[in-house]
Structure formats: structure tokens, C-alpha cells
Amino acid sequence: MTGGGRGIGRAIALSLASAGADVGVTARSFKELDETAAAIRALGRRAEAIVCDVSERIQVDAMIARVSTALGDPLILVNNAGIAASAKVTDTTDEMWDRMLRVNASGAFYCTRAVLPLMLAAKWGRIVNMASVAARAGAPYIAAYTASKHALLGLTRAVAAEVAGRGITVNAVCPGYVDTEMTDASAANIVKRTGRTDEDARKILEGFSPQGRLMTTPEVAAMTTYLCSEVARGINGQGIVIDGGALQS
Ligand code: NDP
């Protein structure tokens, strides 16, 4: 479970633990991971908190090895770690572009490549990639984020096709704006750029959904846990949208 320290990732880690999984959680900030791990243990499951930057392949390989030693070979992988930033295309720096692709797309690739042989050996596995509605449609001022999430959905579909028939499914979840710190930062950015109040900025973000609200972490976590279940074995290579109905088909 990458990006398990807060927000959507923490909700998924706790949802998976509630469903009976032992969970290895990884991110860069140990304190947040430690809190997630304590909450998992309070649910009666085992947990391992491992500091790892998913954009660094060597760290990823070491992290997966540590999960295997502590909890057994991981047969469920949730690639949730991600970053977001906004800028006009013409203001998007090389650094912003490269960092977004490295964390949001390459990070998931490194984790997938490290874990897949274990799933193939076990003839069972579940991979869920936390994409975004930005994996399914273009929007202004987030070119690097959109490109990285389209890449993540492309990875999802390609790996799903490659391992179909081997007991493994690979899917993506594509939420609209979710009530997390990442969305707090998006609201703060609107305030900074436009001089609107925080309340107005939040209304703009809520307005992206026809339900007029932000999505919530339990909704995203429940879908992810379902995709990891046995009964979801027929769902493969999908990008499942959770946005209240803005994006259809
Ligand atoms: P948060 O910023 O609240 O949490 C992100 C998590 O990812 C943190 O635990 C963070 O920990 C971790 N992370 C970030 N960079 C790295 C890295 N290089 N290596 C390892 N871990 C990392 O974001 P959300 O919970 O909102 O988002 C989670 C995922 O959902 C992201 O992929 C995001 O793109 C996606 N998403 C979010 C939406 C939203 O509206 N919030 C909408 C659609 C998709 P640390 O900083 O300590 O490393």
C-alpha cells in the first residue's frame, strides 16, 4: 500500500485491514505511516511501516523485500502514492513534469514490476492503481498531472491484458476531487491565484461534481477493497470513475 500515511491511502489501508489483510504501508513521512500502522494493529491485523520514495527504484525493491520478510509476499498491491501540482502548460517546468511522471507513473511501474513475479508464482494477485478523472479526460492547468495519470491508466490496461488468465487482476480507480489534504492544497492554490475566499474556492471544486460535493475517502477505499476481493475477479483492466457522475462511460 503506497502513500499510506494519510488521505485516501490511510483510508484504504484501514479498509483492507478491516477486510482481514495484514498491511505494509509506505510513504516518505514516517510519523504518518506509524500512525496508520498503529490504527491497523488496533483492528487486530499486522502492519509494517516502511519509509520509501516510490520514485526511487532501489528504495522500492528494498521496500518490497522488507514487506515480504515482515508480512509474507504481498499479493495485493495498491499504488496510491501520488503528487499534484497545477500550472499552465507554458509555465510547466522540466522539474515539475519529470517529478510528476516519476512519482505518479514510474513509481507504480517500479512497484508493479517488483511484486508481479510473486503474484504469478502464487497464481493470484490484485493490483489497484489510484488514477483520477484526469486519467480519463483532459482539463486545463494540470498537463503534467493529467499526462502522469493517463500513463498510469495505460500501465493498468497493459498489465491487465498481460496477466489475464493468471489469477491476477489490475484495475484503476479514478476519483474526482476527494476531501483530503491534496484537495486542501488545490483550494489554497485557487485562493492564491484568484483572491477568492477559501469557501468560494471549495465551492468551485465541489462544482466539478454534479452532486455538488467532494468525494470522500471511505467511498474510494470501499471500491478499492472490493476490487481486491475474490468476488471482483471478473473486473480487469478497468478505470472506475467515482465523481458523482460528471464523467460518463
Ligand atoms: P495526499 O497528499 O493526502 O496523500 C498522498 C500520500 O502519498 C501521502 O501518504 C504521501 O506521503 C504519499 N506520497 C507522495 N509522494 C510520495 C512518494 N514519492 N513516495 C512515496 N509516497 C509518496 O493525497 P490524496 O490522499 O488526496 O491522494 C492519494 C492518491 O489519490 C494520489 O495518487 C492522487 O493523485 C489520487 N487522487 C486524489 C484526488 C483528490 O482529490 N485528493 C482525486 C483523484 C486522485 P509523503 O508525502 O509522506 O511521501
Side-chain angles (χ1 to χ4, degrees):
M1 164 85 245
T2 72
R6 59 177 185 266
I8 294 170
R10 180 176 286 180
I12 294 170
L14 297 182
S15 174
L16 287 170
S18 297
D22 297 327
V23 190
V25 282
T26 188
R28 294 165 302 171
S29 318
F30 180 74
K31 190 170 172 292
E32 291 183 344
L33 285 179
D34 202 34
E35 288 166 6
T36 304
I40 292 166
R41 291 185 194 109
L43 292 168
R45 304 308 312 183
R46 292 186 300 155
E48 186 77 2
I50 307 168
V51 171
C52 168
D53 182 334
V54 294
S55 70
E56 299 293 336
R57 183 189 51 77
I58 290 169
Q59 291 186 34
V60 168
D61 290 345
M63 178 270 288
I64 299 295
R66 205 173 130 191
V67 172
S68 288
T69 304
L71 302 175
D73 286 349
L75 300 183
I76 292 174
L77 168 66
V78 180
N79 285 309
N80 165 80
I83 53 171
S86 68
K88 288 180 188 170
V89 180
T90 46
D91 293 338
T92 298
T93 62
D94 291 0
E95 290 71 24
M96 185 194 287
W97 177 267
D98 289 344
R99 187 74 192 146
M100 205 77 67
L101 269 291
R102 276 182 69 91
V103 175
N104 294 355
S106 302
F109 164 64
Y110 295 148
C111 292
T112 301
R113 188 176 56 184
V115 160
L116 209 49
L118 307 172
M119 295 180 176
L120 288 165
K123 298 185 169 57
W124 195 91
R126 295 284 182 270
I127 300 176
V128 180
N129 295 324
M130 197 50 58
S132 163
V133 288
R136 299 278 305 266
Y141 312 129
I142 50 169
Y145 184 76
T146 303
S148 72
K149 293 297 186 179
H150 272 65
L152 183 57
L153 184 56
L155 175 72
T156 304
R157 289 169 167 160
V159 181
E162 199 167 313
V163 300
R166 310 287 294 272
I168 301 166
T169 67
V170 189
N171 291 290
V173 176
C174 302
Y177 281 104
V178 182
D179 193 6
T180 69
E181 284 180 30
M182 185 180 275
T183 296
D184 293 344
S186 300
N189 198 34
I190 293 172
V191 170
K192 193 171 135 202
R193 281 169 194 256
T194 66
R196 287 181 163 91
T197 64
D198 183 62
E199 197 184 339
D200 285 347
R202 287 184 167 276
K203 282 216 168 65
I204 290 170
L205 298 177
E206 288 164 5
F208 278 92
S209 170
Q211 294 180 340
R213 67 177 183 97
L214 301 180
M215 303 298 109
T216 63
T217 59
E219 296 172 88
V220 181
M223 174 55 72
T224 304
T225 299
Y226 172 68
L227 290 171
C228 295
S229 71
E230 189 53 33
V231 80
R233 65 188 179 278
I235 304 173
N236 193 27
Q238 302 304 307
I240 297 173
V241 174
I242 303 177
D243 72 348
L247 199 62
Q248 296 187 353
S249 88

